[in-house]
Amino acid sequence: MAERPAIITSGERVYQILASGEILEYAVLLKTWQTLDANPEFTKIAAADKLYQMHTNGDIFVYSLSEKQWVKIDGNPLASSIAAAGTHVYELRSSGQVWTYNEEETKWVSLDDNKDTVAIAAYGDDRYQLHSDGVIWSIWDS
């Protein structure tokens, strides 16, 4: 997950996030940056097999490469952070709940419900949560 300004990668893709909220993708063949979005409500971004962004109101979007547009997959005002790995995106809610998006069923599935969770991270098939006491835990499927 990255906040602005930042640079992140997803496979062979490189994204730049400007302080203004503009999200750029580097077009290798054109050797230039192309704007994917310029929404000032953007607050966080995560990339894995796909690119995701979260807005200040908790809305979460995935970028559709085929349609060249953002598709809303959540509108929960309790969303406080996102992480992505492989083909999955994860959402941390202000209540400490951790959810993952099931793209085939187009619904969010609960992974963990611990009020002490303050941050999440993911890599490959591994998911982690940081608790308020500083301890890092692995998240298993429920």
Side-chain angles (χ1 to χ4, degrees), residues 67-84:
E67 298 175 26
K68 301 287 187 209
Q69 68 180 8
W70 293 95
V71 177
K72 184 175 176 178
I73 59 173
D74 196 26
N76 191 323
L78 296 178
S80 62
S81 189
I82 56 174

mmCIF file with all atom_site columns, all heavy atoms in Angstrom, residues 67-84:
data_model
loop_
_atom_site.group_PDB
_atom_site.id
_atom_site.type_symbol
_atom_site.label_atom_id
_atom_site.label_alt_id
_atom_site.label_comp_id
_atom_site.label_asym_id
_atom_site.label_entity_id
_atom_site.label_seq_id
_atom_site.pdbx_PDB_ins_code
_atom_site.Cartn_x
_atom_site.Cartn_y
_atom_site.Cartn_z
_atom_site.occupancy
_atom_site.B_iso_or_equiv
_atom_site.pdbx_formal_charge
_atom_site.auth_seq_id
_atom_site.auth_comp_id
_atom_site.auth_asym_id
_atom_site.auth_atom_id
_atom_site.pdbx_PDB_model_num
ATOM 1   N N   . GLU A 1 67 ? -10.936 -2.160 -19.961 1.00 0.00 ? 67 GLU A N   1
ATOM 2   C CA  . GLU A 1 67 ? -11.869 -1.044 -20.141 1.00 0.00 ? 67 GLU A CA  1
ATOM 3   C C   . GLU A 1 67 ? -11.210 0.311  -19.945 1.00 0.00 ? 67 GLU A C   1
ATOM 4   O O   . GLU A 1 67 ? -11.824 1.344  -20.193 1.00 0.00 ? 67 GLU A O   1
ATOM 5   C CB  . GLU A 1 67 ? -13.037 -1.198 -19.165 1.00 0.00 ? 67 GLU A CB  1
ATOM 6   C CG  . GLU A 1 67 ? -13.842 -2.468 -19.396 1.00 0.00 ? 67 GLU A CG  1
ATOM 7   C CD  . GLU A 1 67 ? -14.927 -2.654 -18.346 1.00 0.00 ? 67 GLU A CD  1
ATOM 8   O OE1 . GLU A 1 67 ? -15.390 -1.663 -17.777 1.00 0.00 ? 67 GLU A OE1 1
ATOM 9   O OE2 . GLU A 1 67 ? -15.288 -3.812 -18.097 1.00 0.00 ? 67 GLU A OE2 1
ATOM 10  N N   . LYS A 1 68 ? -9.962  0.307  -19.445 1.00 0.00 ? 68 LYS A N   1
ATOM 11  C CA  . LYS A 1 68 ? -9.226  1.551  -19.187 1.00 0.00 ? 68 LYS A CA  1
ATOM 12  C C   . LYS A 1 68 ? -10.031 2.497  -18.285 1.00 0.00 ? 68 LYS A C   1
ATOM 13  O O   . LYS A 1 68 ? -10.141 3.693  -18.546 1.00 0.00 ? 68 LYS A O   1
ATOM 14  C CB  . LYS A 1 68 ? -8.851  2.262  -20.491 1.00 0.00 ? 68 LYS A CB  1
ATOM 15  C CG  . LYS A 1 68 ? -8.007  1.440  -21.415 1.00 0.00 ? 68 LYS A CG  1
ATOM 16  C CD  . LYS A 1 68 ? -6.614  1.315  -20.891 1.00 0.00 ? 68 LYS A CD  1
ATOM 17  C CE  . LYS A 1 68 ? -5.719  0.621  -21.904 1.00 0.00 ? 68 LYS A CE  1
ATOM 18  N NZ  . LYS A 1 68 ? -4.647  -0.101 -21.302 1.00 0.00 ? 68 LYS A NZ  1
ATOM 19  N N   . GLN A 1 69 ? -10.600 1.910  -17.205 1.00 0.00 ? 69 GLN A N   1
ATOM 20  C CA  . GLN A 1 69 ? -11.349 2.733  -16.254 1.00 0.00 ? 69 GLN A CA  1
ATOM 21  C C   . GLN A 1 69 ? -11.334 2.077  -14.879 1.00 0.00 ? 69 GLN A C   1
ATOM 22  O O   . GLN A 1 69 ? -11.038 0.908  -14.738 1.00 0.00 ? 69 GLN A O   1
ATOM 23  C CB  . GLN A 1 69 ? -12.784 2.942  -16.713 1.00 0.00 ? 69 GLN A CB  1
ATOM 24  C CG  . GLN A 1 69 ? -13.632 1.688  -16.696 1.00 0.00 ? 69 GLN A CG  1
ATOM 25  C CD  . GLN A 1 69 ? -15.052 1.963  -17.155 1.00 0.00 ? 69 GLN A CD  1
ATOM 26  O OE1 . GLN A 1 69 ? -15.375 3.039  -17.619 1.00 0.00 ? 69 GLN A OE1 1
ATOM 27  N NE2 . GLN A 1 69 ? -15.915 0.982  -17.029 1.00 0.00 ? 69 GLN A NE2 1
ATOM 28  N N   . TRP A 1 70 ? -11.683 2.866  -13.863 1.00 0.00 ? 70 TRP A N   1
ATOM 29  C CA  . TRP A 1 70 ? -11.761 2.386  -12.492 1.00 0.00 ? 70 TRP A CA  1
ATOM 30  C C   . TRP A 1 70 ? -13.149 1.807  -12.243 1.00 0.00 ? 70 TRP A C   1
ATOM 31  O O   . TRP A 1 70 ? -14.146 2.403  -12.629 1.00 0.00 ? 70 TRP A O   1
ATOM 32  C CB  . TRP A 1 70 ? -11.480 3.519  -11.515 1.00 0.00 ? 70 TRP A CB  1
ATOM 33  C CG  . TRP A 1 70 ? -10.067 4.002  -11.592 1.00 0.00 ? 70 TRP A CG  1
ATOM 34  C CD1 . TRP A 1 70 ? -9.607  5.054  -12.323 1.00 0.00 ? 70 TRP A CD1 1
ATOM 35  C CD2 . TRP A 1 70 ? -8.941  3.435  -10.938 1.00 0.00 ? 70 TRP A CD2 1
ATOM 36  N NE1 . TRP A 1 70 ? -8.250  5.179  -12.159 1.00 0.00 ? 70 TRP A NE1 1
ATOM 37  C CE2 . TRP A 1 70 ? -7.812  4.195  -11.304 1.00 0.00 ? 70 TRP A CE2 1
ATOM 38  C CE3 . TRP A 1 70 ? -8.765  2.360  -10.072 1.00 0.00 ? 70 TRP A CE3 1
ATOM 39  C CZ2 . TRP A 1 70 ? -6.544  3.917  -10.833 1.00 0.00 ? 70 TRP A CZ2 1
ATOM 40  C CZ3 . TRP A 1 70 ? -7.493  2.082  -9.600  1.00 0.00 ? 70 TRP A CZ3 1
ATOM 41  C CH2 . TRP A 1 70 ? -6.391  2.856  -9.983  1.00 0.00 ? 70 TRP A CH2 1
ATOM 42  N N   . VAL A 1 71 ? -13.209 0.648  -11.575 1.00 0.00 ? 71 VAL A N   1
ATOM 43  C CA  . VAL A 1 71 ? -14.470 -0.016 -11.259 1.00 0.00 ? 71 VAL A CA  1
ATOM 44  C C   . VAL A 1 71 ? -14.584 -0.096 -9.740  1.00 0.00 ? 71 VAL A C   1
ATOM 45  O O   . VAL A 1 71 ? -13.688 -0.626 -9.070  1.00 0.00 ? 71 VAL A O   1
ATOM 46  C CB  . VAL A 1 71 ? -14.514 -1.434 -11.871 1.00 0.00 ? 71 VAL A CB  1
ATOM 47  C CG1 . VAL A 1 71 ? -15.803 -2.148 -11.486 1.00 0.00 ? 71 VAL A CG1 1
ATOM 48  C CG2 . VAL A 1 71 ? -14.341 -1.369 -13.383 1.00 0.00 ? 71 VAL A CG2 1
ATOM 49  N N   . LYS A 1 72 ? -15.676 0.431  -9.209  1.00 0.00 ? 72 LYS A N   1
ATOM 50  C CA  . LYS A 1 72 ? -15.877 0.448  -7.760  1.00 0.00 ? 72 LYS A CA  1
ATOM 51  C C   . LYS A 1 72 ? -16.211 -0.962 -7.266  1.00 0.00 ? 72 LYS A C   1
ATOM 52  O O   . LYS A 1 72 ? -17.097 -1.623 -7.797  1.00 0.00 ? 72 LYS A O   1
ATOM 53  C CB  . LYS A 1 72 ? -17.015 1.404  -7.401  1.00 0.00 ? 72 LYS A CB  1
ATOM 54  C CG  . LYS A 1 72 ? -17.230 1.571  -5.918  1.00 0.00 ? 72 LYS A CG  1
ATOM 55  C CD  . LYS A 1 72 ? -18.306 2.628  -5.671  1.00 0.00 ? 72 LYS A CD  1
ATOM 56  C CE  . LYS A 1 72 ? -18.635 2.766  -4.209  1.00 0.00 ? 72 LYS A CE  1
ATOM 57  N NZ  . LYS A 1 72 ? -19.643 3.809  -3.987  1.00 0.00 ? 72 LYS A NZ  1
ATOM 58  N N   . ILE A 1 73 ? -15.464 -1.419 -6.219  1.00 0.00 ? 73 ILE A N   1
ATOM 59  C CA  . ILE A 1 73 ? -15.733 -2.739 -5.646  1.00 0.00 ? 73 ILE A CA  1
ATOM 60  C C   . ILE A 1 73 ? -16.156 -2.656 -4.181  1.00 0.00 ? 73 ILE A C   1
ATOM 61  O O   . ILE A 1 73 ? -16.520 -3.669 -3.593  1.00 0.00 ? 73 ILE A O   1
ATOM 62  C CB  . ILE A 1 73 ? -14.530 -3.693 -5.805  1.00 0.00 ? 73 ILE A CB  1
ATOM 63  C CG1 . ILE A 1 73 ? -13.279 -3.136 -5.127  1.00 0.00 ? 73 ILE A CG1 1
ATOM 64  C CG2 . ILE A 1 73 ? -14.287 -4.009 -7.278  1.00 0.00 ? 73 ILE A CG2 1
ATOM 65  C CD1 . ILE A 1 73 ? -12.105 -4.106 -5.097  1.00 0.00 ? 73 ILE A CD1 1
ATOM 66  N N   . ASP A 1 74 ? -16.094 -1.472 -3.581  1.00 0.00 ? 74 ASP A N   1
ATOM 67  C CA  . ASP A 1 74 ? -16.544 -1.315 -2.201  1.00 0.00 ? 74 ASP A CA  1
ATOM 68  C C   . ASP A 1 74 ? -16.827 0.145  -1.911  1.00 0.00 ? 74 ASP A C   1
ATOM 69  O O   . ASP A 1 74 ? -16.214 1.026  -2.491  1.00 0.00 ? 74 ASP A O   1
ATOM 70  C CB  . ASP A 1 74 ? -15.500 -1.847 -1.217  1.00 0.00 ? 74 ASP A CB  1
ATOM 71  C CG  . ASP A 1 74 ? -16.057 -2.065 0.185   1.00 0.00 ? 74 ASP A CG  1
ATOM 72  O OD1 . ASP A 1 74 ? -17.273 -2.289 0.316   1.00 0.00 ? 74 ASP A OD1 1
ATOM 73  O OD2 . ASP A 1 74 ? -15.283 -2.019 1.152   1.00 0.00 ? 74 ASP A OD2 1
ATOM 74  N N   . GLY A 1 75 ? -17.756 0.358  -0.983  1.00 0.00 ? 75 GLY A N   1
ATOM 75  C CA  . GLY A 1 75 ? -18.103 1.698  -0.566  1.00 0.00 ? 75 GLY A CA  1
ATOM 76  C C   . GLY A 1 75 ? -18.316 1.752  0.937   1.00 0.00 ? 75 GLY A C   1
ATOM 77  O O   . GLY A 1 75 ? -19.253 2.378  1.401   1.00 0.00 ? 75 GLY A O   1
ATOM 78  N N   . ASN A 1 76 ? -17.460 1.089  1.698   1.00 0.00 ? 76 ASN A N   1
ATOM 79  C CA  . ASN A 1 76 ? -17.623 1.011  3.138   1.00 0.00 ? 76 ASN A CA  1
ATOM 80  C C   . ASN A 1 76 ? -16.868 2.160  3.819   1.00 0.00 ? 76 ASN A C   1
ATOM 81  O O   . ASN A 1 76 ? -15.642 2.211  3.752   1.00 0.00 ? 76 ASN A O   1
ATOM 82  C CB  . ASN A 1 76 ? -17.113 -0.339 3.654   1.00 0.00 ? 76 ASN A CB  1
ATOM 83  C CG  . ASN A 1 76 ? -17.506 -0.583 5.085   1.00 0.00 ? 76 ASN A CG  1
ATOM 84  O OD1 . ASN A 1 76 ? -17.524 0.320  5.904   1.00 0.00 ? 76 ASN A OD1 1
ATOM 85  N ND2 . ASN A 1 76 ? -17.816 -1.831 5.387   1.00 0.00 ? 76 ASN A ND2 1
ATOM 86  N N   . PRO A 1 77 ? -17.570 3.053  4.519   1.00 0.00 ? 77 PRO A N   1
ATOM 87  C CA  . PRO A 1 77 ? -16.884 4.174  5.174   1.00 0.00 ? 77 PRO A CA  1
ATOM 88  C C   . PRO A 1 77 ? -15.965 3.735  6.312   1.00 0.00 ? 77 PRO A C   1
ATOM 89  O O   . PRO A 1 77 ? -15.169 4.539  6.790   1.00 0.00 ? 77 PRO A O   1
ATOM 90  C CB  . PRO A 1 77 ? -18.040 5.041  5.685   1.00 0.00 ? 77 PRO A CB  1
ATOM 91  C CG  . PRO A 1 77 ? -19.218 4.147  5.741   1.00 0.00 ? 77 PRO A CG  1
ATOM 92  C CD  . PRO A 1 77 ? -19.013 3.101  4.689   1.00 0.00 ? 77 PRO A CD  1
ATOM 93  N N   . LEU A 1 78 ? -16.048 2.469  6.732   1.00 0.00 ? 78 LEU A N   1
ATOM 94  C CA  . LEU A 1 78 ? -15.154 1.963  7.781   1.00 0.00 ? 78 LEU A CA  1
ATOM 95  C C   . LEU A 1 78 ? -13.797 1.520  7.228   1.00 0.00 ? 78 LEU A C   1
ATOM 96  O O   . LEU A 1 78 ? -12.886 1.212  7.997   1.00 0.00 ? 78 LEU A O   1
ATOM 97  C CB  . LEU A 1 78 ? -15.807 0.793  8.527   1.00 0.00 ? 78 LEU A CB  1
ATOM 98  C CG  . LEU A 1 78 ? -17.075 1.120  9.313   1.00 0.00 ? 78 LEU A CG  1
ATOM 99  C CD1 . LEU A 1 78 ? -17.642 -0.145 9.955   1.00 0.00 ? 78 LEU A CD1 1
ATOM 100 C CD2 . LEU A 1 78 ? -16.805 2.181  10.369  1.00 0.00 ? 78 LEU A CD2 1
ATOM 101 N N   . ALA A 1 79 ? -13.644 1.473  5.902   1.00 0.00 ? 79 ALA A N   1
ATOM 102 C CA  . ALA A 1 79 ? -12.364 1.078  5.295   1.00 0.00 ? 79 ALA A CA  1
ATOM 103 C C   . ALA A 1 79 ? -11.294 2.095  5.686   1.00 0.00 ? 79 ALA A C   1
ATOM 104 O O   . ALA A 1 79 ? -11.483 3.295  5.517   1.00 0.00 ? 79 ALA A O   1
ATOM 105 C CB  . ALA A 1 79 ? -12.490 0.986  3.783   1.00 0.00 ? 79 ALA A CB  1
ATOM 106 N N   . SER A 1 80 ? -10.181 1.596  6.214   1.00 0.00 ? 80 SER A N   1
ATOM 107 C CA  . SER A 1 80 ? -9.114  2.508  6.623   1.00 0.00 ? 80 SER A CA  1
ATOM 108 C C   . SER A 1 80 ? -7.807  2.263  5.873   1.00 0.00 ? 80 SER A C   1
ATOM 109 O O   . SER A 1 80 ? -6.942  3.121  5.863   1.00 0.00 ? 80 SER A O   1
ATOM 110 C CB  . SER A 1 80 ? -8.868  2.408  8.132   1.00 0.00 ? 80 SER A CB  1
ATOM 111 O OG  . SER A 1 80 ? -8.444  1.109  8.487   1.00 0.00 ? 80 SER A OG  1
ATOM 112 N N   . SER A 1 81 ? -7.661  1.084  5.248   1.00 0.00 ? 81 SER A N   1
ATOM 113 C CA  . SER A 1 81 ? -6.443  0.800  4.501   1.00 0.00 ? 81 SER A CA  1
ATOM 114 C C   . SER A 1 81 ? -6.688  -0.368 3.548   1.00 0.00 ? 81 SER A C   1
ATOM 115 O O   . SER A 1 81 ? -7.651  -1.118 3.714   1.00 0.00 ? 81 SER A O   1
ATOM 116 C CB  . SER A 1 81 ? -5.303  0.450  5.468   1.00 0.00 ? 81 SER A CB  1
ATOM 117 O OG  . SER A 1 81 ? -4.079  0.382  4.775   1.00 0.00 ? 81 SER A OG  1
ATOM 118 N N   . ILE A 1 82 ? -5.789  -0.508 2.577   1.00 0.00 ? 82 ILE A N   1
ATOM 119 C CA  . ILE A 1 82 ? -5.845  -1.635 1.643   1.00 0.00 ? 82 ILE A CA  1
ATOM 120 C C   . ILE A 1 82 ? -4.448  -2.201 1.456   1.00 0.00 ? 82 ILE A C   1
ATOM 121 O O   . ILE A 1 82 ? -3.448  -1.507 1.672   1.00 0.00 ? 82 ILE A O   1
ATOM 122 C CB  . ILE A 1 82 ? -6.450  -1.247 0.275   1.00 0.00 ? 82 ILE A CB  1
ATOM 123 C CG1 . ILE A 1 82 ? -5.676  -0.083 -0.356  1.00 0.00 ? 82 ILE A CG1 1
ATOM 124 C CG2 . ILE A 1 82 ? -7.923  -0.949 0.389   1.00 0.00 ? 82 ILE A CG2 1
ATOM 125 C CD1 . ILE A 1 82 ? -6.119  0.266  -1.772  1.00 0.00 ? 82 ILE A CD1 1
ATOM 126 N N   . ALA A 1 83 ? -4.410  -3.471 1.055   1.00 0.00 ? 83 ALA A N   1
ATOM 127 C CA  . ALA A 1 83 ? -3.162  -4.140 0.683   1.00 0.00 ? 83 ALA A CA  1
ATOM 128 C C   . ALA A 1 83 ? -3.508  -5.099 -0.452  1.00 0.00 ? 83 ALA A C   1
ATOM 129 O O   . ALA A 1 83 ? -4.661  -5.519 -0.582  1.00 0.00 ? 83 ALA A O   1
ATOM 130 C CB  . ALA A 1 83 ? -2.574  -4.901 1.870   1.00 0.00 ? 83 ALA A CB  1
ATOM 131 N N   . ALA A 1 84 ? -2.534  -5.447 -1.262  1.00 0.00 ? 84 ALA A N   1
ATOM 132 C CA  . ALA A 1 84 ? -2.786  -6.366 -2.370  1.00 0.00 ? 84 ALA A CA  1
ATOM 133 C C   . ALA A 1 84 ? -1.596  -7.291 -2.548  1.00 0.00 ? 84 ALA A C   1
ATOM 134 O O   . ALA A 1 84 ? -0.452  -6.910 -2.284  1.00 0.00 ? 84 ALA A O   1
ATOM 135 C CB  . ALA A 1 84 ? -3.039  -5.593 -3.663  1.00 0.00 ? 84 ALA A CB  1
#
